[in-house]
Amino acid sequence: MSHSKSLLFSTLVLFLFGTNSYSQPSIVTIWQAQDSVGLYDKFEIRLRLEAKFTNPFDPDDISLNATFTSPEGKSWNIPGFYSSSGWAGWMVRFSPSEVGAWKYKIAITDKTGQVESEINAFSVVPSSYHGPIKISSNKRYLEHADGTSFYGVGLWYNGIIQEEPLDELKELGVNFISNYMTPIESWASGLGRYDQLLCERIDNILSLLEERDMQLSLNIWFHSFLSETVWGGGNIRWYANPYALVTEPKDFFSNEEAWKYQEKLYRYMIARWGYSRSLAIWFIVDEVNGTDGWASGDSLGAANWAKKIHDYFKQNDPWQHLTTGTRSGGIKEWWQEGYEVLDMPGREIYEAQGFPIIYDGNIASSDTHPLTYSYRNYAGQVQKLWQGFNKPVIIPETGWDHTFYEMSMPGYQAQYHNALWVSLATGTAMSPFWWAYSRSLNDNVITNQLLSFRNFVDQIPFSKLTNIAPLEIKNSDGDAYAMGSDQLIFGWVVNAKTDLAGKTITLPGISQGKYELRLYHPWRGKFLNDSIQEIEISGETLSFDMPPLKIEGSHANYIGQDIAFILEPIDVSKKNKRSK
């Protein structure tokens, strides 16, 4: 923003909301959108103030804070924010976590002093909402604030997010999207001021997702906006970043003045969007090694910077939204320091960047099928994360065209399918974040197989599982993966070269007793009713066979190349209840 434009903006703000004549700030009006709001829903307050300030986005210039008191006496300190998009003025957004009578008061601080409002009240009534996402007590999976288990099924969706595609995704079982934001500090707004059109865009995304009970992983720093030299082309967008006024890109991670601006930026983000039950993840940085700071040799500085942001959110985000971040998707791109710091270690996988695949393209002469290579790549990386960190494991970016098969080929769809199922069966807390919603891959990715996957994961109470861990499992001809817990076992069995008919699956070390086995056809999206069986273990090995193709009413039901399954110990009382 030029000096003349900045002066004009400041003059307008002072004319509308404050002048130099005030001896101290005052609250002219407080307007709350509702006197009653649903549990975990948005409660919004709008205010008109008289105060002395120049930059309404700078809390050192003017600060708006609200203190909410719950029916049980818990205090919530919530920052307010200024908006000039939609309704122009000061706002507070809050999402209550208890039913009953709530109270709040507002404090305004500028350079002349502080003023507090009288105590105001509103009520919270029961709702169908489950609240924001958090890490469950087993430390490996996710749940909502009310304890409802959450397993993420979704993908990257960038660009203009519209209602019709979201409705399509919702119908296909998708419950989250990942999206990167253009920095809201732009050359148009100026450093330390926030582009209100961009902010309104994120407002609208969250509103659309709230209406559909879907979640957002919001990527704050896309690597290209911190790159002046790395990777070239569209990966270089430092020119669009006004932090160039205070630092070189190679010093961004360590520059103290840049950090002071960032603290205020994150405060604003918490104030404006932290309330949302559809905000799941603060995705701090995507591909940190694609930045000049990293490329200049400051990888430790990058990790320290990511920790500072993580710590800031943990100290200042009242809803404690989760954090993640990534290094890029090559085989050697392991980010130990980042995985140790962030809430969820997020490993990118781009198989053509060094992972085992058939590089000569000759499938016939290879001992290993390209689809086998593919699902083993995912299994190996997920297992490495599982063993290395006692945290929920995710794959926050993968796929696109960095694969053996090209988009639109049948093999691409099979490769995506396998990535979903092997990641689940090796311990991820969300499906792989496939890059990215677009016409070029939607015929392969945006299909009923997403709904088939969602229908299966909805059968598993992930957040309630105790002593959850990978299990040893064997396939007599192919591969198999399984996760075991005190409550149940679930897994996935596969042979990319042939079908599974007649193959024997064994799980050694399983406790004696009776189990109910349910086989699930991942492509058909249904449990095989005729394959539900009771298995009794007298030794320490559980085994079962895959059924053959079966003709029913002239329809051939092909068993296929992969099967998912759930094994549950049989509780006699539950069995009797089901039989009734």
Side-chain angles (χ1 to χ4, degrees), residues 263 266-267 270 308-316:
E263 285 186 299
Y266 306 139
R267 180 187 187 276
I270 291 169
K308 285 173 71 174
I309 301 176
H310 168 86
D311 289 346
Y312 184 90
F313 280 118
K314 291 304 151 187
Q315 293 164 13
N316 295 283

Side-chain angles (χ1 to χ4, degrees), residues 329-330 347-351 355 377-378 381-382 395 397-399:
R347 177 71 166 104
E348 290 193 8
I349 297 177
Y350 282 125
E351 293 182 78
F355 285 84
N377 288 332
Y378 285 89
Q381 295 304 308
V382 173
I395 303 172
E397 191 178 324
T398 187

Side-chain angles (χ1 to χ4, degrees), residues 38-42 74 76 94-98 127-136 141-150 206 210 213-216 273-282 317-322:
L39 186 67
Y40 303 121
D41 204 356
K42 178 171 70 173
K74 179 182 177 181
W76 293 69
F94 181 63
S95 175
S97 61
E98 296 176 24
S127 76
S128 60
Y129 307 131
H130 300 296
I133 302 297
K134 64 177 183 176
I135 296 174
S136 63
Y141 291 101
L142 307 176
E143 65 183 10
H144 291 274
D146 70 351
T148 303
S149 186
F150 175 83
L206 286 170
E210 288 162 8
D213 194 24
M214 298 170 74
Q215 298 291 319
L216 175 67
W273 303 310
Y275 79 91
S276 180
R277 61 181 180 274
S278 283
L279 178 64
I281 302 172
W282 298 118
D317 177 1
W319 294 276
Q320 294 293 289
H321 298 291
L322 304 178

Side-chain angles (χ1 to χ4, degrees), residues 351 355-356 367-383 422 478-479 481 492:
E351 293 182 78
F355 285 84
D367 293 333
T368 304
H369 194 280
L371 292 177
T372 302
Y373 270 132
S374 179
Y375 65 69
R376 287 178 180 173
N377 288 332
Y378 285 89
Q381 295 304 308
V382 173
Q383 290 167 343
V422 76
D479 293 292
Y481 306 90
W492 183 66

Side-chain angles (χ1 to χ4, degrees), residues 263-531:
E263 285 186 299
K264 296 172 183 180
L265 168 66
Y266 306 139
R267 180 187 187 276
Y268 189 84
M269 293 174 66
I270 291 169
R272 187 153 186 164
W273 303 310
Y275 79 91
S276 180
R277 61 181 180 274
S278 283
L279 178 64
I281 302 172
W282 298 118
F283 195 146
I284 290 173
V285 60
D286 175 84
E287 299 187 354
V288 65
N289 56 314
T291 67
D292 275 60
W294 182 288
S296 68
D298 195 14
S299 60
L300 181 58
N304 290 336
W305 167 78
K307 184 178 186 305
K308 285 173 71 174
I309 301 176
H310 168 86
D311 289 346
Y312 184 90
F313 280 118
K314 291 304 151 187
Q315 293 164 13
N316 295 283
D317 177 1
W319 294 276
Q320 294 293 289
H321 298 291
L322 304 178
T323 64
T324 195
T326 66
R327 191 169 167 176
S328 63
I331 184 66
K332 297 180 181 179
E333 305 295 349
W334 184 262
W335 194 23
Q336 180 76 20
E337 300 86 354
Y339 305 149
E340 289 173 348
V341 166
L342 303 172
D343 286 328
M344 295 189 290
R347 177 71 166 104
E348 290 193 8
I349 297 177
Y350 282 125
E351 293 182 78
Q353 297 176 3
F355 285 84
I357 63 173
I358 303 174
Y359 285 96
D360 63 8
N362 193 338
I363 297 175
S365 64
S366 176
D367 293 333
T368 304
H369 194 280
L371 292 177
T372 302
Y373 270 132
S374 179
Y375 65 69
R376 287 178 180 173
N377 288 332
Y378 285 89
Q381 295 304 308
V382 173
Q383 290 167 343
K384 188 177 178 182
L385 285 171
W386 180 281
Q387 294 163 4
F389 309 93
N390 188 26
K391 300 178 178 182
V393 173
I394 57 174
I395 303 172
E397 191 178 324
T398 187
W400 195 234
D401 61 355
H402 304 285
T403 55
F404 179 86
Y405 293 101
E406 292 186 29
M407 298 175 192
S408 79
M409 289 182 177
Y412 190 92
Q413 186 176 31
Q415 188 165 290
Y416 172 67
H417 171 94
N418 290 348
L420 289 175
W421 288 95
V422 76
S423 300
L424 165 69
T426 48
T428 58
M430 304 174 75
S431 71
F433 295 25
W434 212 259
W435 186 281
Y437 183 91
S438 66
R439 291 185 62 186
S440 59
L441 62 73
N442 283 3
D443 286 345
N444 279 290
V445 172
I446 309 303
T447 66
N448 279 331
Q449 66 175 313
L450 274 167
L451 185 58
S452 298
F453 184 73
R454 174 68 186 276
N455 288 341
F456 183 81
V457 299
D458 279 353
Q459 302 295 310
I460 302 172
F462 292 94
S463 68
K464 310 304 180 187
L465 301 179
T466 53
N467 294 318
I468 182 75
L471 290 183
E472 180 183 355
I473 182 172
K474 299 178 181 179
N475 179 355
S476 62
D477 186 11
D479 293 292
Y481 306 90
M483 301 295 295
S485 68
D486 295 330
Q487 292 76 21
L488 54 78
I489 298 167
F490 63 92
W492 183 66
V493 182
V494 60
N495 187 319
K497 285 190 173 182
T498 184
D499 63 45
L500 286 172
K503 306 300 186 291
T504 299
I505 311 304
T506 57
L507 291 97
I510 303 300
S511 300
Q512 293 185 13
K514 291 184 178 181
Y515 291 80
E516 180 183 83
L517 169 68
R518 291 188 290 159
L519 297 178
Y520 187 83
H521 199 298
W523 290 96
R524 198 181 307 162
K526 294 181 179 179
F527 283 97
L528 306 181
N529 291 328
D530 61 341
S531 70

